[in-house]
Amino acid sequence: MSDIIHLLPDHIANQIAAGEVIQRPASAVKELMENAVDAGATEIHLVVADAGKALVQVNDNGKGMSETDARMSVERHATSKISKIEDLFHIKTMGFRGEALASIAAVAQLEIKTRKADAPFGTFIDIEHSEVKTQEPVAMNPGTSIAMKNLFFNVPARRNFLKSNTTELKNIIDEFTRVAMAFPEIKFRLTNNNQEVFHLEPGTLKQRIVQLLGNQYNARLITVREETDYLNIYGFVGKPETAKKTRGDQFIFVNNRFIRSAYLNHAVTTAFDNMLQKDSYPAYVLFLDLDPSQVDINVHPTKQEIKFEDEKIIYAFVNSAVKHALAQYNITPALDFDLDASIQQLPAVTQPFTEEKRSAVSGSSLYQTFTQKNQAHFIERNTGSQSNLKHWKDFFEPGEQPAYVPAPEPEQQSIHLEAAEHRLFQVHHTWIVVETGEGFLLVHQQYAHQRIIYEKLVSLGEGQKMPVQKSLFPATIELSPSDAVMLHELLDEINQLGYLIEPFGNNTFIVQGTPADIAQGGNERKDVELLLEHYKHFGNQNKLSVRERLAIGMAWQQGIKPGHALSASEMNNLVTDLFHCTHPATSPAGKPVYAKFDKEYLERMFEKG
Ligand code: ADP
Ligand code: MG
């Protein structure tokens, strides 16, 4: 038998490795912006075209590169940021692996223009298939401009995996937001297809939050600040009334790096305790600073997970810092909090402090939290937050969303409604009892209606439009910048589905008309925001199209709610329409629409005993 193992050619090995770092346009946004920050820039301009698929460019006024460094920068493992392994433990820069530019060079066309302040002119380099095609002097201001063009032009299989422009643009805005949030002292701009989306002047963190997340947080942010010799926390939480039904405005940074941590999210959210409405998420932007040797630095810089040496104490720290902040602002009554015994057992609490350390930290309120009993804002004992702790995973895991499950086909065929037209009965203004040939069904009126609306919207053909009711007094609505970008992208679709919305510049839109079935007047902004929230919420489910995602939101918006009395003919129409649907058994969000009670089942039920 012949041998079958061979070495991969370099360019293929490079493309595979590059795929880890650059998966989508937003990955390049993150890498290029972080490089600009590392270069000490005070102004950073991100320019994208075609949702980054055609162009992702970052211009900065940082320290620039020499001619040789510019050439070197695209080699794999070429970095100016570390030179020995010990450096890893003191890292203060965003990047250090020297992979980003090499990866971009492997999967896209790359153009670098760079000039150091003391150089008379800059260098221009043009790279394709990881090879330098041109290098020549160029006149420019000091700084660097790096452009990634035609992502995956040489890896069509990957290009096909890119999502719709709306989704990729949303990912770009998310990455932009994370970097811009962490450096409020830097001026950032984002231009998409020649339109300025963000223009962020340097300022305080509070100003930056409002610039990025929207005016609704203006004067509705509460400062969180605790300092110890172990770690510091600084940032803001939104007042409880600003909590939203979907996530998106939650940010935790560790040493200025955005991280995802279900565990820490739980620590923040439980601190709000019962101040929040069910299933709503408070906004927060929190910066944890700790000694890099306490954080597992081996974490890949493109990933967002992070390991702490002592997770538990960081949880307790974050939780009590937020509680403290809420208590100080008189948001939470300073009631019966009590120091949790398990917290007192943690090494950082029980370890003897040196005299010097003690005086340094004893003034901090966190220190007092951990050492004095019966103070406000302490960790509750045996109450909700503790028992919730073991469920923190379910709480924040992405799996929490109901999956979209089309109903099994055979189901509908076995239901014969013909004889049942006049045998409908509403129970508790929520369910409808429907007699069938085989027994009866209990139909959930809201989910049934959602299913009907959903299928109607999804099956709408090209050129067809849902009826609009024109508003006598069109409402002007202002959205957060990222919602505004999203609405722009979705406008054609939304307008086909019954809205009449026109852009009015500066994150503002005019709602000229709304779907014929929804109540008019005053709720336009909330309605549109909730629609977008639904759209985002179902964004992780790749199989859904833009239309389907919008239709889920519209079905939810327009479906009759429980508690609504229905006339006999309304019930009749509802049930008839439901069973004309292709998938009557599940709601668009995956909830069961009806429960079936067969005669045999009913008979057996009464044969017992
Ligand atoms: P890393 O950031 O991990 O060092 P990169 O591939 O992102 O690796 O960048 C390689 C090197 O190129 C950096 O270490 C830095 O010296 C240089 N570099 C990249 N972008 C810039 C920039 N915008 N300004 C100045 N130098 C840069
Ligand atoms: Mg880098």
Short mmCIF file of all heavy atoms in Angstrom, two decimals, residues 31 35 81 95 100, ligand 2:
data_model
loop_
_atom_site.label_atom_id
_atom_site.label_comp_id
_atom_site.label_asym_id
_atom_site.label_seq_id
_atom_site.Cartn_x
_atom_site.Cartn_y
_atom_site.Cartn_z
N GLU A 31 -9.51 43.13 15.29
CA GLU A 31 -8.05 43.07 15.26
C GLU A 31 -7.44 44.40 14.84
O GLU A 31 -6.48 44.87 15.46
CB GLU A 31 -7.58 41.97 14.30
CG GLU A 31 -8.00 40.56 14.72
CD GLU A 31 -7.36 40.08 16.02
OE1 GLU A 31 -6.31 40.66 16.41
OE2 GLU A 31 -7.90 39.15 16.66
N ASN A 35 -5.21 46.94 17.15
CA ASN A 35 -3.86 47.37 16.77
C ASN A 35 -3.72 48.88 16.84
O ASN A 35 -2.70 49.40 17.27
CB ASN A 35 -3.53 46.89 15.35
CG ASN A 35 -3.11 45.43 15.32
OD1 ASN A 35 -2.82 44.83 16.36
ND2 ASN A 35 -3.08 44.87 14.13
N LYS A 81 5.03 43.20 20.49
CA LYS A 81 4.44 43.37 21.82
C LYS A 81 5.00 42.45 22.90
O LYS A 81 4.92 42.76 24.07
CB LYS A 81 2.92 43.26 21.72
CG LYS A 81 2.39 44.40 20.82
CD LYS A 81 0.97 44.27 20.40
CE LYS A 81 0.69 45.26 19.25
NZ LYS A 81 -0.63 45.11 18.69
N GLY A 95 -3.27 43.02 21.64
CA GLY A 95 -2.76 41.89 20.86
C GLY A 95 -1.37 41.51 21.32
O GLY A 95 -0.71 42.29 22.01
N ALA A 100 -2.76 38.49 13.59
CA ALA A 100 -3.87 39.13 12.91
C ALA A 100 -3.54 39.52 11.48
O ALA A 100 -4.23 39.12 10.54
CB ALA A 100 -4.35 40.34 13.71
MG MG B 2 -2.97 42.77 16.81
#
